[in-house]
Amino acid sequence: MSVEYSKQARSSAANPLDAGSFPLSPIVAGAWRMAEWGWTPQQRLRWIEQAVELGVTSFDHADIYGNYGVEELFGDALALRPALRNQLQLVDKCGIKLVSQRRPAHRIKSYDTSREHIVASVEASLRALRTDRLDLLLIHRPDALMDAAEVADTFATLKQQGKVLRFGVSNFMPWQFELLDAAMSAHGEHLTTNQIELHPLQVQPLHDGTLDQAQRLALRPMIWSPLAGGRLMAPSPTDEAARRVHEVLRHLAEAHHVTATTIAIAWLLRHPARPVPITGSRRIDTLRDAVAALGVSLDRESWYALWQAGRGHEVP
Ligand SMILES: NC(=O)c1ccc[n+]([C@@H]2O[C@H](COP(=O)([O-])OP(=O)(O)OC[C@H]3O[C@@H](n4cnc5c(N)ncnc54)[C@H](OP(=O)(O)O)[C@@H]3O)[C@@H](O)[C@H]2O)c1
């Protein structure tokens, strides 16, 4: 797809994440690790409620999280207070097949973006989450065998049925994004977001065109592992790069009178593509620190100091 196509096709289409019709909260809570928390349904409900009280109303899922178990843990909690559903936005993913006792037909780990798999996955997610709709469905990883026309057609059907309201991708390179987006335009639809990994130890999307594309299309990228899975906050003694970043985070946190977590999230929010970070912590305090980042603006040198700490050298 040419740049020209994108300009024309996109110019008339407002970005759904910016529109009042479908706002994700500016900070999203990730459910990936929920199975590790060992909580009761009441504790999980309390966690969801406390997040909502902070303004974190969007929750990130995938069919495979917790060995295909997290959606059900979340759904069981939601069943204690079903009316809460209407205050939430549920983001979900499909397309990865894990070898699991819960999926005995899978013989090897593989990717599957066939119509059959996407539909079966969405049906299973809706049942487990105890909801009638997903607010946003993402293809979890690029599938080398992806037939873009088939995926776009499947998405259009799911939307017509009211089972999925919006669509996006995760871990896609710009040209993979454009392939599927172009196929969706035939149905009058567009991809909403690309969910990617970004933090000072993973700066590739800043330099490989991913965030340039997001900015050009006014897409707000969702950011996974914003604290590098905890590496930035509790670096091991041998993790030199994480220790360097942690030191700069602490220094900036002192200067801004906030926590290091707040600075790490503020570093992401500083990007003009207006990223939407997904926290992964079980602790409500961490969510509170992430929300606090919405009120912190890092100056350019502070931003580059973290870039430099992550890379281990100054900019060229
Ligand atoms: N699309 C994809 O391919 C993809 C891949 C991975 C993740 N995701 C999504 O992104 C979400 C976030 O990812 P993530 O969990 O890696 O995010 P993260 O926020 O970078 O890491 C969360 C981890 O860091 C720990 N942590 C946070 N603050 C800490 C501190 N001060 N000291 C020590 N440990 C600390 C947390 O432990 P505590 O719970 O104890 O705070 C938790 O284990 C996931 O839930 C999932 O929804 C998507």
Side-chain angles (χ1 to χ4, degrees):
M1 186 183 62
S2 69
V3 170
E4 214 37 51
Y5 155 79
S6 292
K7 274 192 193 146
Q8 286 166 1
R10 284 258 174 194
S11 57
S12 57
N15 174 21
L17 278 184
D18 273 342
S21 60
F22 180 62
L24 284 190
S25 52
I27 303 292
V28 172
W32 175 29
R33 301 172 190 271
M34 190 175 253
E36 298 163 22
W37 302 345
W39 286 351
T40 63
Q42 284 78 9
Q43 286 173 307
R44 294 193 292 270
L45 175 64
R46 191 64 201 121
W47 181 79
I48 297 167
E49 289 173 336
Q50 286 180 300
V52 170
E53 284 160 21
L54 288 171
V56 178
T57 56
S58 305
F59 294 83
D60 186 66
H61 285 273
D63 57 343
I64 59 171
Y65 286 171
N67 187 24
Y68 296 97
V70 161
E71 292 170 320
E72 199 175 327
L73 295 178
F74 195 95
D76 287 350
L78 211 48
L80 298 173
R81 201 186 141 192
L84 191 56
R85 170 64 183 97
N86 287 337
Q87 292 181 51
L88 311 183
Q89 300 82 44
L90 299 180
V91 182
D92 215 327
K93 310 184 202 79
C94 66
I96 301 179
K97 283 178 159 178
L98 297 183
V99 176
S100 163
Q101 285 171 335
R102 293 186 182 216
R103 295 292 186 278
H106 301 178
R107 285 169 290 136
I108 62 162
K109 183 178 179 184
S110 64
Y111 298 148
D112 190 344
T113 53
S114 65
R115 180 190 313 273
E116 190 188 15
H117 180 70
I118 292 173
V119 169
S121 185
V122 166
E123 298 287 357
S125 294
L126 292 174
R127 271 195 306 277
L129 287 166
R130 307 214 201 180
T131 186
D132 60 350
R133 66 196 185 280
L134 301 175
D135 296 275
L136 177 59
L137 176 71
L138 313 179
I139 298 294
H140 205 152
R141 285 197 175 266
D143 166 19
L145 298 177
M146 181 178 81
D147 179 331
E150 182 180 347
V151 174
D153 197 56
T154 307
F155 281 178
T157 306
L158 288 168
K159 181 155 185 185
Q160 272 164 16
Q161 294 171 338
K163 292 178 179 172
V164 182
L165 306 187
R166 301 277 180 194
F167 301 91
V169 294
S170 181
N171 305 301
F172 270 44
M173 296 303 291
W175 54 89
Q176 296 165 329
F177 184 101
E178 293 203 2
L179 171 67
L180 184 52
D181 194 56
M184 286 179 67
S185 71
H187 297 271
E189 292 286 333
H190 283 291
L191 291 171
T192 300
T193 191
N194 188 6
Q195 187 180 120
I196 54 167
E197 183 183 14
L198 180 67
H199 46 74
L201 301 176
Q202 171 52 284
V203 296
Q204 189 189 313
L206 293 167
H207 307 296
D208 68 5
T210 300
L211 287 173
D212 302 311
Q213 178 188 52
Q215 208 177 153
R216 177 166 61 82
L217 300 180
L219 289 167
R220 296 184 64 180
M222 298 176 74
I223 308 297
W224 59 266
S225 290
L227 306 177
R231 258 175 89 196
L232 297 186
M233 296 303 133
S236 75
T238 53
D239 193 344
E240 268 303 312
R243 276 199 323 108
R244 282 196 307 267
V245 174
H246 186 70
E247 272 313 297
V248 180
L249 286 174
R250 275 189 24 191
H251 173 76
L252 290 170
E254 259 181 57
H256 285 263
H257 309 291
V258 295
T259 66
T261 296
T262 299
I263 297 295
I265 302 295
W267 187 82
L268 297 169
L269 297 176
R270 179 65 182 78
H271 194 276
R274 302 177 61 216
V276 179
I278 314 168
T279 61
S281 174
R282 80 194 76 189
R283 283 173 294 126
I284 288 297
D285 279 349
T286 309
L287 265 73
R288 192 173 289 115
D289 288 347
V291 170
L294 297 167
V296 173
S297 179
L298 292 183
D299 61 36
R300 283 175 169 271
E301 288 198 354
S302 301
W303 191 91
Y304 274 104
L306 283 164
W307 185 96
Q308 176 174 315
R311 300 292 292 160
H313 57 78
E314 63 183 15
V315 292

